[in-house]
Every structure is written in structure tokens, then in C-alpha cells.
Amino acid sequence: MNDMKSLAQRVKELEDQLVVCIRCGTCQSVCPLFEQTHREADVARGKLALLDGLGKNMFDNPNGVEERLNRCLLCGSCAANCPSGVNVVEIFIKARAILAEYKGLSPAKQVIFKKLLSDPKTFDFFTELAGKFQGVFTKKDKNPQATSCARVISPLLDNRHFPSMAEKSFHRLTPRLNTPVGKSGIKVALFTGCIIDKVFPRIANDVIEVFKHHGIGLYIPDGQGCCGIPALASGDRKSFTKLVAHHIGLFEREKFDYLVTACATCTSTIKKLWPSIYEGKESGTRAKIGKLSEKTLDINQFLVNSVSLDPRDEIHGTKGGPVTYHDPCHLKKSLGVAREPRQLIKASGHELVEMEGADKCCGMGGSFNLYHYGISSRIGTLKQQSISDTHCDTVATGCPACMIQISDMLAKSGAQVKVKHPLELYADFLRNR
Amino acid sequence: MKKKTIIDELKKIVGAENVLADNEDMVTYSYDAAVLDAVIPIAAVMPENSGELGKIVKLCSEYCLPMTVRGAGTNLSGGTIPHNSGVVILTGKLNAILEINEADMYAVVQPGVVTATLAAAVEKKGLFYPPDPGSQAVSTIGGNVAENAGGLRGLKYGVTKDYVMGVSFYDAHGEHVRSGSRTVKCATGYNLAGLMVGSEGTLGVMDEIVLKLIPLPKARKSMVAVYKTIEQASKTVAAIIADRIVPATLELLDNFTIRAVESYSKAGLPLDAGALLLIEVDGHPGQVEEDGLRVEELCREFGADSVKVATDENERDRIWAARRSALSALAKLKPTLVLEDATVPRSKIPAMVKSLQEISQKYDISIGTFGHAGDGNLHPTILTDKRNKEEWLRVEQAIEEIFDRALELGGTLSGEHGTGLAKAPFLEREVGRSSILFSRRLRKALDPNNILNPGKVTGAL
């Protein structure tokens, strides 16, 4: 193991980004974790101070800082509200990578990221296996969220209620697709994303249907994998870089106007993190990443701004019921997309009922939910209460990870509320009118 | 070992989950929002109720441990920077609004209640808690009382001290002391609640605060006036006051700040303007109408190129968004931002504005000036990089000169940020030797072991 001085040296690379924090403490007002714990080390200002301390070689070992740095949802609420414009998420991700590279990844994470996640084929093989056997360990809840829970007490599943893995993942149903440009004159490539592929293939199926309706050419290449955020959140820049390079190769085979995803987290990762964190050396890849991330769009944003939607006053038949909408952090705080999903919901013939704190984090935070399920649930319960208070029977949100967390929270509370992607509502509308 | 004993004793009072002592956590309680050196404490403790708070104070008293109370740690004068052998008392979980009494128009709160949370809660009941410090989204009432925080509405509505009806607190020995009352009038005993306001944690540890509420104004009107020179703007401020009109807010942005805000928010501000005045009058609809028209007239009379009156809430929000983003916009220009708050009698605003321009040139540093012109409380904001040692020296000299000029004009070192560590060495220049000695004797009598936030306000005892 290297000495702390060399670690300090590496953290010092972040200094120019760290000094931007003026310690004003505004981040405390929006941090979902701080709201629960009131601890300074849980909020951005505290973590930035710790990184500053690490750079000044103030600690005997990096473990305490690492542990605190990992207690973060990476929701970016702090960054979105920071008066000084500190790029908190990028700093934290770089710092996690520096620490992981210094300490080495844990053996379990090495297997998960290096062997599984960074190789889409192996990853698919294991997730399909898990899909086949899930019924042995879990039972269906028979609720509007269509979740399952553990049959017996399980340390891994805890008391989670989760949407089941799909019997057939999306890429089994539609391994590849390349349809010609229709009346819209637009060609779009779809980045499916793991959760949609393996848990919510129905969303990707709806994408195909909606695009067909609007005459949008659709390109879905074979062999897609993960956008890389789980590896990055654990500091594994190598697996992340490998995944980015893999996808750049896949998507350069066809010409298209936009790369669209229906997952807020994938969109935000491709747009923000692919260009800033990729560390590959191959000449030209960096420029390709820049170009691809520039034409990447969230699906709500794409449909509302680039396609003329069928206006809802053309609806013949019953009007959709009231729907409330949750802003995924990776859409609103990271990308500033908040208007479009709402417009899509309204265009689908639904009345939109705003919940209290629609843009408050749901508490999922990817691996945060795995390691800190207790706090994650406390944050999620607040979201569930806001949803329930609207008395809507459907909550829509543009991120499949948020959908998992919100389904869990609603299932636990016994609320009779369905969880949908805005695109699903639009697809329903097109089918039913 | 003393430290271990103390931590064990603290755990007995509040439970292990509410005591922090790891080196990493201590680093996170070593600073506040002031540009000062960090000091690392030995432990931090988070009581969940007043009883636990009292026991903590008693324990610190027994072990002669310095204690520093910390709310949101947004202090701009170093008031929440702890002592290196001391304990930090966190008020994060003492955050209950205990009562909002509509009939008698007061609220009783614990010190950890966030200012904006209280303001929103009372507004829901048609009542008004006016003090609105810039950090109100995070700052706590305990901190506001301890620092006598101000805000944008100081001109008409006063500052925190004008709303404190009563405070109960633990003294340096851990005894519970009550002061003030829930009545509008109260003439019994010393005005200890008044003494606690602005005492920066040096006289006691608060556990409950009774705050005065007032009716929410029925109408308001906002406007923005554009000037070629900052002199014209500052003369307008004096003229409005001289005309016996008291706007709720009367804010000034200088050209440097206007350009920073515009490049940050693209709000369409006039880049060539020497200054902007942002004004809001509120109260009864009839009076708002009358005052609004008169203020508009005065703005033009004193040279405003244009006066734009907000016709709806959206336009009003746009006007105030420009003001609210001033600090953010300036903060983005350089790594270090020193936000000063030297304050002068409001008629002296033109003279102070001139002084700030001279100081900026003399020391060759960037100063953006904005702030509460209507109450004489400007915020000269110095933009620098503390890592540049040579420039930092000039910044320190400039700050000292700002202090001196404000005092020459009959002003004060701090309108709303407090004395803390930052201004303690300069306080004697403002109040004189005997005031410092009186304050120190008072402190010594109440806190003989000097454990209540040592080093703040009066300097070393």
C-alpha cells in the first residue's frame, strides 16, 4: 500500500475544484441525508472539508474519509443549489476513484464490476439465471406496484418489496432493431439501460410502439450493457472506461440524430460523466464521446421538443385519471429537465397533481440503497407520504431506479398506487384513444 | 484518560449514536462560513431534548470543558469555530416549533428550528416573522438570536432582537434560567432575554425562545430603479428616508455586482448602469399605492434613468431573484469571498459608498458592493484567492480600513454578522476600553471558568 502522502498528493489534484466551496452551508437545506441525520459529515460541505483534509495529509488512514464519502446518494441536490457552483458530484466521483485506486476494490466489487458488469454478455447470463430462480426465494405481493418480497428472512433482500425481474429481458425479446426514418424525418438510437432491460422491458416495448406511431426511425444495437454508473459510484474508473469505450463502438455503426434513453440516470451519466471521467487513451474516442453525449436526450425531452405530440383534445373516450409526478434527481438537478415529463403526462390526457416536494430525492441512490437501506427507507417514506397525500392512483417518474424505490415504499405502506414511466402513460393514451 | 471519560459520560446522557469523536467528524466541526483558520474540537454531541442539553452543560461545567453551540454553522464571524479542548453542542435535533399562538401572536421554538421553516409555518396562519437573514434557508433561530441576525427587512421591521420576547437557557453552571415572558409587556427583573441576544453563546446555552409575531402585510409593491452613477442611487436612498417613507426593503447593487449577476443569470440587467435600487413597500393597500408612487417620483427626481414597477408576482419574483443571486454570482468569480457588513447611519450611505470605491482602488482588490442600503448595512464583498499570500495581505489591510471608515462615519463594525473571532480584536475601536472591560467582568462573573464559547466577542479574558 502506498503511503498517505502519495494519497494526499493525488487528492490535491482536486484542489482547484475544492477551493470553490466557500463553506456557506447552503447545501444543508437540500441534502436528503442531512435532513435525516443532521450530521455535517453527511452533507457536501462536510465531505468537501474532509477531502481538503485528506489533501493536507491530516489523517492516519483513508478509511474514515472513504466511509463518509460513500454515505451519499449522489443525487446532486447540493450541486444544483450551490451558490458557488461547486461541481460536487464530479468531485465525489473522482475522489471515490482516487480512494479505490489507492486502497484497491474489495474482492466482491472486483468480481461484480470487473468480471460481471463490464462484460454485458456475462452480466446478462447471470441476471437471467437470477430471473429464472427468483420465484424460489421470493413471492409476489399482489399489489398495484406488482412487487415481490423475500419468502424467508434474507439479509440480502431485507424487507424490500421489489419489482420482479422480467421473465424475458428486453434484449431477448428484441435483440436488435433498425427501422427506417418515417414521417418525422428523425432517426434515434436507444440506449436501453440495465434496469429497463431486465426489470421493465415494458418501457422499452412502449418506446418502440410510440416511435413507430410518430414515424421515428429507431436503432437499437445488439450487445448493450450498463452505462457505468454503478462501477463509478464504487470508484472503479477502469470498468467504467471499458463500458464507455464498448458503447462508443456500438453506436458508431449507425448514423442517427439523437441518442435517447428512458432512464434519467443513464442520460445523466452519458451526458455528464462519460465526457468528464472517461480516462481511456485511444486517440479519437474522447472526441466521439463528446459528440455522442451532446446528442443524448432524455426521452421526455426528446418527445416533447422534437416531435409534435398528438394533442390530448383529440382524445375520444375516457379521460385519464389524475397523476402525480416525481422528479428524478438525475433529470431535474443534473440536467434541468422538469417541464417535459409533465407535458408528456398532460399530453397523455391526465390531470397532473403536484405533490409536496416533487423534486425531493426518493432515497434510492443506487448502491446507497444497498448499503444504507435504513436511511434510504426513511427518505423514501417521506416521498411515499407526499405521493399518498395527492390521492392520485398513479405516480409517474422518468427513472426506473426511482420506480424501484417508490414501488418498495408504496408497497410497504399498502398504498393503492401504480408506478409508471411518463412514456408508458403516453403509450397507453395512444393505444386507448 | 480525560477525553475518553468525557466521551463516555456524554454517551451516557445522549446515547452513543449522538456523540461524535472520530478525527474525521471533528474536522467537519472545525469551521463555519467565516474565512478563518479551522480549530478541531475533542467531541460533538447532539442532544434530543432540553433535559439532555442541561446535563451536557452541567458535565462541561464539572470538567471545565469549553463548549461551543452550533446550529447550521453559517456564521460569518467565526462564532461557531470551537475551542481546541472543547465540545461542540449541535442543535440539529432540538428543532421543534413548540407553539404558534395566534391569539397572542407569539411562537415558542427550540434553538435548532430553521429560520425559513418557522417563517413558512407562521405565514400559513396569516402571521409574519420578518427577520430574513441571507442564510435563512439553513440558519437556525438559535444562531439568529445568538448573533442578532438581520436581513433585508431590517429597515422597516427591525432585526432579530426586535422579536425576542423571552429566552430560557442553561448558565455556565448548568442551572436553568428563565427570562422574558409571553406577554407584550414585561417589567420584572433584568432584561436577561435582551442580554442573551447577540451574546454569541458566551453567557448561556439556550433551550427555548419566545418570538413575537406580527400580522402579515396585506399588500406589497416592488420596483427597480436604474442609475448612471452609484452616487445618484445612494442619494435617492437618503431622500426616501427623509421623505418619511419606510420601505420594507431598499437594496442597492453596484456596477460590479450587476455585471456579476448578469453574467451568471442573464436576467437582462443593464450592464452600463452605475447602480440599481430594488425597493419594496408593503402594508395596507391604500398606503402601498401612495408610498409606491411617491418612491417612484423620488427615484426619478434623483436621476433614475428608468423605474420599473412589478405588475404581478412573477415580475416581483424576477426583481428579487436578481438580488438573491448577488452573493452567488460574486462567489463564482474567485475562490475566496469575504463578506463584510460594516454599517453606517443610513444618511451616511453616500459617504460610505465613496470610501469603498477609494479602498478598492488603493489596495487594488475587487470589491462588489450590494446590500441593505436603506438601513445603512452595505455588504462590501471582497473577491480574492486566499492562496495568493501577497493579495491576502492587501485584503486584510483593506478590511481594517473599511472598519475604520465606518467608525469615522459613526457606524459599527458589524450590522448583522456578529463579532465572533473575526472582529473581536477590533471591537475596542468601536466601543472603547471601558466597555470591553465591563463586558469581560460581566462574563467572568457569570462564567468564572471561561467555558462558554471562549475567545468570542470580548477576546481573551
Side-chain angles (χ1 to χ4, degrees):
Chain A
M1 207 186 231
N2 303 317
D3 59 321
M4 287 298 285
K5 229 172 163 179
S6 72
L7 178 63
Q9 215 50 45
R10 294 224 44 205
V11 174
K12 267 204 168 305
E13 290 165 18
L14 302 174
E15 190 188 273
D16 283 341
Q17 285 185 293
L18 288 174
V19 292
V20 180
C21 172
I22 58 168
R23 303 280 188 266
C24 68
T26 303
C27 42
Q28 295 169 95
S29 69
V30 290
C31 176
L33 185 56
F34 183 81
E35 187 183 12
Q36 296 298 320
T37 67
H38 301 286
R39 287 190 185 187
E40 181 84 14
D42 283 339
V43 78
R45 177 174 69 168
K47 290 179 164 73
L48 294 166
L50 287 174
L51 290 175
D52 189 50
L54 208 54
K56 289 181 177 141
N57 204 9
M58 285 173 71
F59 305 106
D60 301 332
N61 67 66
N63 303 336
V65 175
E66 188 192 30
E67 183 198 318
R68 286 163 181 79
L69 196 61
N70 288 341
R71 264 171 73 94
C72 171
L73 291 145
L74 295 176
C75 68
S77 301
C78 46
N81 288 280
C82 177
S84 312
V86 179
N87 201 337
V88 186
V89 176
E90 191 181 314
I91 294 173
F92 287 178
I93 281 188
K94 284 181 178 167
R96 286 182 184 195
I98 291 171
L99 281 162
E101 283 153 18
Y102 172 81
K103 289 183 64 183
L105 279 181
S106 70
K109 283 186 179 172
Q110 289 211 20
V111 173
I112 295 172
F113 298 131
K114 300 228 180 298
K115 301 259 188 281
L116 263 177
L117 198 69
S118 62
D119 178 9
K121 278 202 188 99
T122 322
F123 186 41
D124 286 343
F125 175 76
F126 277 101
T127 48
E128 272 161 29
L129 208 61
K132 287 204 177 78
F133 288 104
Q134 62 185 341
V136 178
F137 306 105
T138 64
K139 59 174 191 280
K140 291 202 162 30
D141 285 329
K142 295 192 181 113
N143 56 17
Q145 299 87 33
T147 54
S148 299
C149 62
R151 282 188 191 276
V152 288
I153 295 167
S154 149
L156 183 67
L157 300 177
D158 213 316
N159 59 341
R160 286 180 172 84
H161 296 256
F162 42 87
S164 319
M165 306 274 275
E167 277 173 25
K168 268 208 167 144
S169 56
F170 174 71
H171 76 276
R172 283 278 170 233
L173 298 165
T174 311
R176 69 189 72 78
L177 196 70
N178 200 346
T179 60
V181 177
K183 63 179 176 191
S184 73
I186 304 171
K187 178 94 179 191
V188 165
L190 179 73
F191 185 94
T192 313
C194 305
I195 304 182
I196 290 184
D197 184 58
K198 293 161 192 15
V199 184
F200 300 114
R202 62 176 206 241
I203 297 175
N205 291 334
D206 281 350
V207 173
I208 297 178
E209 217 178 299
V210 169
F211 280 24
K212 198 171 161 191
H213 173 85
H214 285 290
I216 301 162
L218 183 57
Y219 171 58
I220 307 176
D222 197 0
Q224 291 191 47
C226 164
C227 68
I229 187 71
L232 212 48
S234 290
D236 185 358
R237 255 193 289 212
K238 285 207 172 67
S239 299
F240 169 79
T241 296
K242 203 175 149 190
L243 282 164
V244 174
H246 169 77
H247 288 113
I248 290 296
L250 274 188
F251 284 101
E252 71 182 346
R253 292 181 199 157
E254 180 67 52
K255 279 199 165 52
F256 49 85
D257 303 299
Y258 303 103
L259 177 71
V260 163
T261 97
C263 170
T265 304
C266 292
T267 315
S268 159
T269 304
I270 295 170
K271 280 195 92 71
K272 291 277 181 80
L273 300 176
W274 281 21
S276 64
I277 313 282
Y278 174 80
E279 56 169 11
K281 306 272 184 284
E282 310 79 44
S283 66
T285 309
R286 205 165 275 283
K288 286 178 196 164
I289 294 172
K291 272 197 187 139
L292 188 65
S293 79
E294 248 173 55
K295 58 181 179 183
T296 300
L297 283 180
D298 163 63
I299 193 146
N300 301 286
Q301 204 182 7
F302 165 71
L303 283 173
V304 169
N305 297 336
S306 309
V307 179
S308 55
L309 299 176
D310 293 8
R312 64 166 171 181
D313 36 61
E314 285 178 13
I315 307 168
H316 306 294
T318 50
K319 196 173 177 292
V323 169
T324 189
Y325 176 73
H326 159 71
D327 284 294
C329 296
H330 291 155
L331 266 193
K332 183 169 177 191
K333 285 152 199 156
S334 173
L335 303 171
V337 177
R339 177 180 56 87
E340 294 89 342
R342 288 175 167 80
Q343 272 178 279
L344 192 61
I345 292 168
K346 289 186 202 160
S348 309
H350 292 278
E351 181 201 349
L352 180 69
V353 182
E354 290 289 345
M355 67 176 89
E356 182 93 19
D359 63 353
K360 270 182 87 168
C361 178
C362 69
M364 178 65 178
S367 52
F368 182 87
N369 175 281
L370 285 180
Y371 297 115
H372 306 284
Y373 187 59
I375 300 179
S376 170
S377 296
R378 268 151 62 196
I379 299 169
T381 303
L382 296 177
K383 180 56 67 178
Q384 172 266 312
Q385 282 159 355
S386 307
I387 295 168
S388 296
D389 286 348
T390 64
H391 302 291
C392 291
D393 64 2
T394 303
V395 56
T397 186
C399 177
C402 298
M403 288 172 71
I404 291 179
Q405 167 82 343
I406 290 172
S407 298
D408 184 11
M409 297 303 128
L410 289 169
K412 269 204 192 94
S413 75
Q416 297 297 307
V417 182
K418 292 189 286 291
V419 185
K420 297 256 184 172
H421 194 290
L423 180 90
E424 292 186 84
L425 298 177
Y426 187 60
D428 277 343
F429 159 68
L430 292 180
R431 277 191 291 267
N432 297 335
R433 66 198 172 133
Chain B
M1 183 183 148
K2 201 183 166 195
K3 182 177 166 180
K4 191 179 175 308
T5 317
I6 291 156
I7 288 162
D8 287 345
E9 293 287 331
L10 286 171
K11 284 181 181 169
K12 271 188 218 161
I13 299 171
V14 295
E17 72 277 14
N18 285 324
V19 179
L20 302 166
D22 289 349
N23 193 17
E24 288 83 3
D25 287 316
M26 294 308 94
V27 167
T28 68
Y29 295 115
S30 66
Y31 53 79
D32 58 19
V35 187
L36 292 169
D37 292 336
V39 179
I40 296 184
I42 62 163
V45 55
M46 205 181 290
E48 295 192 1
N49 55 57
S50 171
E52 290 180 355
L53 180 65
K55 285 180 191 161
I56 293 166
V57 177
K58 195 127 200 160
L59 183 79
C60 290
S61 169
E62 276 164 22
Y63 285 91
C64 279
L65 278 177
M67 52 192 136
T68 298
V69 183
R70 181 184 178 97
T74 50
N75 193 289
L76 285 161
S77 56
T80 29
I81 294 180
H83 190 273
N84 65 8
S85 63
V87 170
V88 175
I89 300 176
L90 303 167
T91 61
K93 292 184 182 173
L94 297 171
N95 61 351
I97 298 174
L98 301 169
E99 184 187 357
I100 295 176
N101 192 314
E102 293 174 72
D104 294 327
M105 295 212 289
Y106 67 78
V108 185
V109 302
Q110 289 188 315
V113 169
V114 172
T115 315
T117 308
L118 175 71
V122 302
E123 208 159 306
K124 267 190 185 160
K125 296 179 186 282
L127 292 169
F128 190 29
Y129 177 70
D132 58 345
S135 54
Q136 61 175 332
V138 275
S139 71
T140 62
I141 294 292
N144 291 171
V145 173
E147 299 296 328
N148 190 15
L152 271 64
R153 301 189 184 113
L155 166 64
K156 178 171 180 179
Y157 292 103
V159 296
T160 306
K161 75 170 179 203
D162 300 303
Y163 294 86
V164 176
M165 293 166 73
V167 174
S168 63
F169 60 92
Y170 292 98
D171 71 9
H173 311 285
E175 303 286 339
H176 195 239
V177 181
R178 280 177 50 195
S179 74
S181 80
R182 285 158 167 75
T183 54
V184 173
K185 294 175 175 176
C186 171
T188 48
Y190 289 123
N191 182 8
L192 298 181
L195 189 62
M196 290 302 287
V197 178
S199 65
E200 304 191 8
T202 64
L203 299 177
V205 177
M206 294 179 268
D207 72 326
E208 250 180 62
I209 300 149
V210 185
L211 295 168
K212 179 170 88 175
L213 305 175
I214 60 174
L216 198 59
K218 286 197 174 65
R220 58 191 181 185
K221 187 179 238 180
S222 291
M223 61 192 87
V224 54
V226 182
Y227 293 88
K228 275 197 190 68
T229 68
I230 193 165
E231 288 74 22
Q232 293 169 322
S234 54
K235 281 179 183 154
T236 308
V237 173
I240 293 171
I241 306 295
D243 206 72
R244 305 286 182 264
I245 295 174
V246 187
T249 36
L250 178 36
E251 299 283 309
L252 177 131
L253 263 63
D254 74 349
N255 176 265
F256 190 93
T257 312
I258 294 169
R259 281 185 287 134
V261 171
E262 187 53 27
S263 78
Y264 165 66
S265 64
K266 309 273 181 288
L269 298 184
L271 287 175
D272 54 346
L276 296 183
L277 282 184
L278 312 179
I279 308 162
E280 181 164 285
V281 288
D282 70 357
H284 188 275
Q287 188 202 354
V288 167
E289 194 55 41
E290 208 173 284
D291 284 354
L293 286 173
R294 180 65 189 138
V295 169
E296 212 182 317
E297 251 173 52
L298 284 168
C299 288
R300 293 189 201 280
E301 199 176 307
F302 282 81
D305 288 339
S306 72
V307 185
K308 165 130 188 65
V309 181
T311 51
D312 58 32
E313 283 296 298
N314 276 340
E315 282 187 15
R316 174 186 181 268
D317 289 347
R318 269 205 295 281
I319 289 178
W320 293 107
R323 166 62 183 87
R324 270 196 301 274
S325 64
L327 190 60
S328 308
L330 290 169
K332 287 191 171 64
L333 300 179
K334 292 266 188 85
T336 313
L337 176 146
V338 184
L339 180 63
E340 281 303 332
D341 71 324
T343 300
V344 294
R346 45 199 163 196
S347 61
K348 297 290 177 4
I349 281 284
M352 191 65 199
V353 162
K354 193 159 166 277
S355 293
L356 290 171
Q357 287 172 330
E358 286 163 10
I359 291 167
S360 164
Q361 277 166 14
K362 179 174 169 189
Y363 294 98
D364 188 24
I365 52 170
S366 308
I367 304 184
T369 298
F370 65 95
H372 325 306
D375 58 26
N377 179 195
L378 290 176
H379 287 306
T381 303
I382 303 169
L383 302 162
T384 179
D385 185 341
K386 213 182 168 185
R387 295 172 296 181
N388 179 344
K389 299 241 158 42
E390 183 272 329
E391 186 176 85
W392 182 248
L393 200 70
R394 279 185 280 128
V395 168
E396 287 185 315
Q397 289 167 339
I399 293 171
E400 215 171 314
E401 191 155 341
I402 292 173
F403 289 168
D404 286 339
R405 296 283 186 99
L407 293 179
E408 279 163 27
L409 293 168
T412 171
L413 302 176
S414 170
E416 55 188 4
H417 297 167
T419 314
L421 292 171
K423 297 192 177 78
F426 303 98
L427 189 58
E428 195 175 324
R429 293 188 199 179
E430 178 174 335
V431 297
R433 185 74 190 147
S434 52
S435 295
I436 297 282
L437 289 176
F438 179 86
S439 305
R440 286 183 183 169
R441 284 195 294 268
L442 174 78
R443 233 177 128 167
K444 190 113 195 153
L446 294 171
D447 176 18
N449 293 319
N450 189 28
I451 55 173
L452 290 168
N453 211 10
K456 315 296 160 28
V457 192
T458 59
L461 289 190

